[in-house]
Each structure stands twice: as structure tokens, then as C-alpha cells.
Amino acid sequence: MTAFAPDSLVLNRKLPLWYQVSQSLRASILGRTPDASLRLPTEEQLATHYGVSVLTMRQALKELEAEGLISRHRRRGTFIEPGARRGAPRRLLGSIDAIVAQQSGEPTTILGHGTTPVPGELVEHFPGVDEVVTYRRLRRDGESGEPTNWAENAVLPDVAAGIDLADLERWPMTKVLRDVVGVRIGRITDTVEARLADPETAELLDVPLLSPILHYTGVTCDRDGRVVDVARIRYRGDRFSFSVTVDAR
């Protein structure tokens, strides 16, 4: 493709194809490099790239257009909006690519990393493990520069050996683990709860002490059931909400 080149996608036949494609393309758009082309390939080219029908591709593009990430022009083609940024809460249907899309597109600063003893609250996730490698990152809004969330990941040392800090400044941990390190992710368990900002969180996110925040915990297991990463992310309560869709069919 001579236009913007989206990432690859392994389709899960248990989830709507258009949804998976839209989330994968969304992550590619939000995580693109500054010099990437704004012109998307044609519907036919994208459909071939993802291995779906043109109708499925059209529905995926419609979703991204409604979010304001792309604009479509008759005869000219489809283009990424130069100021494309995340908008309304996304619908999570259990796709790893959806999780990657949730985390993509925000400028990220590495606050620090290193080997530490397993924190007491994470011992249950790392039985028999003495140390983990921790990564601390601060994310900012791409337009205003305002801090939006900060993340702390605890990763198994043998997995962390394949992580490059430069990749973490560009991509979410989930994408780095799967696409760079080569972890065969089997399951991610998400928990979101309301908490009050502690002194560190208040300072990093520039919010009042004890103000409401959303605390996310994501436990990533490989296909052998081994926990390889535990992410703890603190989101500003005034900037984020989470939406989950349950299909009863």
C-alpha cells in the first residue's frame, strides 16, 4: 500500500468483524508516526488487507467516521483527520485489539523502570516469583498536553528482556507484548473501580488530592495461563468513562 499502512489483525470469528477491523484501524491511526500519510487505502485495498468483505470494511469505516477520526470524500478518497484524537467512550467486546485501541494515541513519557521485589498486592498474580520489572509511564492529551493517566506495569523478567523503552513511548504495553516481544496472549482480565487520588497520583495528573479517579487493573496471561503483566492505570475521573456492551444473543 502506498497510502497509510495499518497494522495487521488476526480475526476472532466470535466477535463482529466490522468491530474488530474498526478497532484495529483506530489503533493504527491513533498510534501513527507524525510523518505518516493521511490518505487511507481504498475500501477494496483495506478489505483485502484485513481479509474481510468490502461491506464489512465500509461498516468499520463508518464507525471511525462517526467518531471523527476520518473523513470520506467522493472521488478523492478517505483521509485521517489531522487532529484525530480519541472521542466518546469505546465499546469493549472482548477483543485484544480493542484494548490496544483504548490505550493508543496519547503522547507517553517514561517516568522510570527497573527491577523490584514483587509488590505485596501483586503476589497472588506472580506465585513463586521474587522480582518483576516495573515500568511507569505518564500519558498526556495529544492536543492540550494535559496529563490524562499514568500507568504502572509489573512484567515478568524474562518477558521484560524483550521490551525496548522506545516502543513503550510509541505503543501500549499490550501491543508491545504481543507484536514486538511475541507473547501469545491468552486472556486479559480487566477491573475498573472508583478511588480517591493519592498524593503521587494527584501530582502526576494535576488534580486535587483525594479527588475521584478511575483505577484500572489489567492482568495479562499467556496461552499457558501464566501471568506475564499486571497493569495498574490511574485515569482522571473528569476525563474518562468506560462503556461495556453485553450481547445477549
Side-chain angles (χ1 to χ4, degrees):
M1 296 181 182
T2 57
F4 176 77
D7 294 337
S8 59
L9 170 67
V10 177
L11 293 170
N12 180 342
R13 297 293 169 178
K14 295 182 180 179
L15 295 173
L17 297 182
W18 68 265
Y19 171 80
Q20 295 178 70
V21 170
S22 70
Q23 292 299 293
S24 178
L25 185 53
R26 180 178 187 272
S28 296
I29 290 172
L30 291 176
R32 71 191 186 280
T33 58
D35 59 346
S37 172
L38 294 179
R39 178 188 288 273
L40 286 181
T42 65
E43 287 181 352
E44 292 77 11
Q45 289 173 319
L46 285 170
T48 299
H49 175 77
Y50 285 114
V52 298
S53 70
V54 172
L55 288 177
T56 295
M57 193 65 240
R58 192 168 296 158
Q59 188 173 3
L61 292 172
K62 183 178 180 181
E63 178 83 356
L64 297 179
E65 184 178 26
E67 190 180 341
L69 292 180
I70 63 173
S71 59
R72 312 182 73 189
H73 306 274
R74 190 174 181 181
R75 296 191 180 90
R76 289 180 52 210
T78 302
F79 295 84
I80 299 170
E81 286 295 311
R85 53 182 296 204
R86 66 185 64 248
R90 306 273 36 90
R91 289 172 286 169
L92 297 181
L93 299 182
S95 163
I96 290 176
D97 283 284
I99 292 174
V100 169
Q102 291 292 305
Q103 301 170 350
S104 295
E106 294 174 328
T108 301
T109 301
I110 305 296
L111 300 175
H113 79 289
T115 301
T116 63
V118 177
E121 62 270 29
L122 302 185
V123 168
E124 64 176 304
H125 300 300
F126 296 107
V129 177
D130 296 324
E131 295 180 325
V132 291
V133 179
T134 59
Y135 299 87
R136 293 158 50 86
R137 293 165 295 143
L138 178 67
R139 298 191 183 103
R140 296 181 179 275
D141 181 88
E143 184 173 307
S144 67
E146 185 179 50
T148 59
N149 65 89
W150 78 277
E152 190 172 26
N153 291 77
V155 182
L156 286 179
D158 63 298
V159 175
I163 295 176
D164 189 318
L165 292 182
D167 289 332
L168 284 181
E169 290 179 336
R170 178 183 177 190
W171 294 317
M173 178 65 82
T174 303
K175 179 177 177 62
V176 172
L177 291 176
R178 185 189 65 177
D179 298 343
V180 179
V181 181
V183 174
R184 299 171 69 245
I185 297 177
R187 182 180 71 253
I188 298 177
T189 301
D190 296 335
T191 303
V192 180
E193 57 185 319
R195 291 192 183 180
L196 301 179
D198 57 36
E200 182 178 27
T201 296
E203 180 179 0
L204 287 172
L205 299 186
D206 194 21
V207 297
L209 182 65
L210 301 181
S211 61
I213 63 166
L214 292 175
H215 189 282
Y216 162 92
T217 302
V219 180
T220 300
C221 300
D222 62 19
R223 293 187 184 177
D224 294 324
R226 182 180 65 153
V227 174
V228 296
D229 167 50
V230 177
R232 290 172 292 173
I233 307 176
R234 292 81 166 176
Y235 293 91
R236 284 182 54 152
D238 61 343
R239 294 296 304 275
F240 284 89
S241 62
F242 285 79
S243 174
V244 178
T245 298
V246 177
D247 191 340
R249 290 177 297 173

